Amino acid sequence: MKGKNANVGIVIVSHSPLVAKGTADMVRQMVGESVPLSWCGGNAEGGLGTNAAGILEAIEAAWSDHGVAVFVDLGGAETNSEMAIEMLGEPRSGMVVVCNAPLVEGAVIAAAEASGGAPLAKVVATAEELSPS
């Protein structure tokens, strides 16, 4: 039986709340409820940007004992995601990976892989195959 924590979780981080939510909506439509999913967009004041505290909340919301793959749109999102992961502390921080993959396509393909029960390493590798060399 698949529960909330049965598959790798997916977190989407964008400088734009609309982009983050839209990407999460697309992922949810593709895989249904089979994958823990959360998103974070915008800075703490609601404008464009990202913030580590909000990303940490998103990771917690999509937490899976099988790990969490984080997808980001720009460099600042990656930096703040790495800070949020550090805030988790060990051993959980070792179970979260920021993927080097396109935001939308990467999140969708990773969620599809996760929905089939793939481990975190396979979910990340599949998404990262989409990155230009």
Side-chain angles (χ1 to χ4, degrees), residues 40-95:
C40 179
N43 62 22
E45 293 77 39
L48 290 180
T50 61
N51 69 90
I55 296 167
L56 179 60
E57 287 178 22
I59 292 169
E60 295 281 6
W63 183 256
S64 168
D65 294 337
H66 297 278
V68 176
V70 179
F71 293 86
V72 300
D73 61 355
L74 299 170
E78 182 174 0
T79 301
N80 280 327
S81 293
E82 294 290 354
M83 288 173 45
I85 292 166
E86 286 180 22
M87 292 163 63
L88 278 172
E90 291 292 340
R92 294 196 315 152
S93 62
M95 299 172 62

Side-chain angles (χ1 to χ4, degrees), residues 7-31:
N7 294 315
V8 169
I10 303 291
V11 173
I12 297 157
V13 180
S14 174
H15 282 68
S16 165
L18 294 174
V19 170
K21 182 181 184 314
T23 302
D25 287 346
M26 182 179 286
V27 168
R28 188 57 75 209
Q29 288 177 33
M30 300 295 278
V31 301

